[in-house]
Amino acid sequence: MSPLDLGDLDPTTEVLVAPVHLAGPGTREAVFSVLDNAAGWTKTVAFGTDTYYASPCQRVRIANPVESHFGGWTITYAEDPLGVPDWITTFDRSTPQEIVAAFTETLVDGLPNHFRDHFSGGKHYTGLGPEDVLRRSDWQPVHGSRPYWNVSPDGRAALRTRSGWLDEYTELLTPEKSMWRLSGGIDPVHVPSWRAFFSSGTPQHLRTAAAIALTSPDALPRFLGDVPERHRDLVRVRLTKPTADMPRAQAALARRPYAAHVPAPGAEAAIPPASLAAHGRSRRQR
């Protein structure tokens, strides 16, 4: 589709968008559905919008404080329900909700037996870490970078692995200093559109679930107006169904697998960074 075609469509038009990391946050209903249907979990709604969940064992707390500066989802686990959390994972308000839902569903399913099914010998054990998942999708390491980065083929998503020792309480208090950060956007290293942080204690199989969702080839359902404007030239868009008043060319387009949203004639095409390592030498990496 050309920009003019997209501009002619109502923002409430239902579309399918790929890749995941540029599709926009989408609705939170998938995450709410996982937690609302989790047996024994309690739910509290405060201030009319902020939502909090606690697992039956009281070890896991999940918060969706809509009105806070960070927004998004904060998930903590504490072996001692009354003690300091052992790990924390945060997804900001712009993270694609399919990534949050995959992490949360895996957490909920594995919690009753303390994730034993996901450890060596368990029925869900694969031995794969998130880096393995990313490599299978042709992500590449940025050699010589500190912290250590893996970048998606299009240069629009990145995994940062922090180097050096950091006190675990610093991770708990400052998500930005967590061991791992997933991010996406036009410049996912320096100016990401969304970020997800995983402290060093976050179980590998949960981080792997997030990576699998991030690298899924499936297009995501969105309303056209929910796709970030700055991503429009970088995503592939397919209409979910033709409408009665849709021009014939657009109706034919809706039947194609995907339609690349290409820049208008004369517009400068967005080009992925040729080398994030070189780019990082001139700007401080976060």
Side-chain angles (χ1 to χ4, degrees), residues 52-113:
Y52 302 89
Y53 291 89
S55 65
C57 62
Q58 299 297 304
R59 291 185 173 92
V60 175
R61 310 289 174 135
I62 299 179
N64 181 229
V66 176
E67 299 301 325
S68 74
H69 172 71
F70 188 77
W73 297 86
T74 298
I75 302 170
T76 62
Y77 175 89
E79 186 63 34
D80 177 359
L82 298 179
V84 176
D86 295 280
W87 56 261
I88 183 172
T89 292
T90 56
F91 302 92
D92 72 14
R93 67 177 75 247
S94 297
T95 303
Q97 295 299 298
E98 290 80 3
I99 298 174
V100 186
F103 183 99
T104 306
E105 184 172 18
T106 306
L107 169 65
V108 168
D109 288 347
L111 188 60
N113 67 0

Side-chain angles (χ1 to χ4, degrees), residues 86-211:
D86 295 280
W87 56 261
I88 183 172
T89 292
T90 56
F91 302 92
D92 72 14
R93 67 177 75 247
S94 297
T95 303
Q97 295 299 298
E98 290 80 3
I99 298 174
V100 186
F103 183 99
T104 306
E105 184 172 18
T106 306
L107 169 65
V108 168
D109 288 347
L111 188 60
N113 67 0
H114 292 77
F115 312 125
R116 282 193 296 271
D117 287 344
H118 295 273
F119 297 156
S120 180
K123 61 182 179 180
H124 297 310
Y125 178 73
T126 65
L128 293 176
E131 294 82 1
D132 301 309
V133 172
L134 300 181
R135 280 194 294 269
R136 288 185 173 188
S137 295
D138 297 324
W139 284 46
Q140 297 296 321
V142 179
H143 297 290
S145 64
R146 285 187 178 275
Y148 184 72
W149 291 93
N150 279 278
V151 183
S152 63
D154 65 356
R156 307 303 184 185
L159 170 67
R160 184 211 69 195
T161 302
R162 179 177 49 77
S163 57
W165 181 85
L166 187 69
D167 182 272
E168 62 180 301
Y169 295 109
T170 301
E171 286 189 280
L172 296 176
L173 295 173
T174 312
E176 291 81 359
K177 295 184 178 181
S178 294
M179 177 64 75
W180 297 281
R181 187 192 89 176
L182 278 177
S183 54
I186 294 177
D187 182 352
V189 172
H190 303 103
V191 192
S193 298
W194 61 266
R195 300 176 300 169
F197 298 100
F198 308 84
S199 71
S200 54
T202 307
Q204 174 175 284
H205 71 279
L206 298 180
R207 295 184 290 110
T208 300

Side-chain angles (χ1 to χ4, degrees), residues 42-55:
T42 57
K43 177 180 181 180
T44 303
V45 178
F47 309 111
T49 56
D50 297 353
T51 309
Y52 302 89
Y53 291 89
S55 65

Side-chain angles (χ1 to χ4, degrees), residues 258-273:
Y258 288 109
H261 179 191
V262 298
E268 181 180 357
I271 302 174

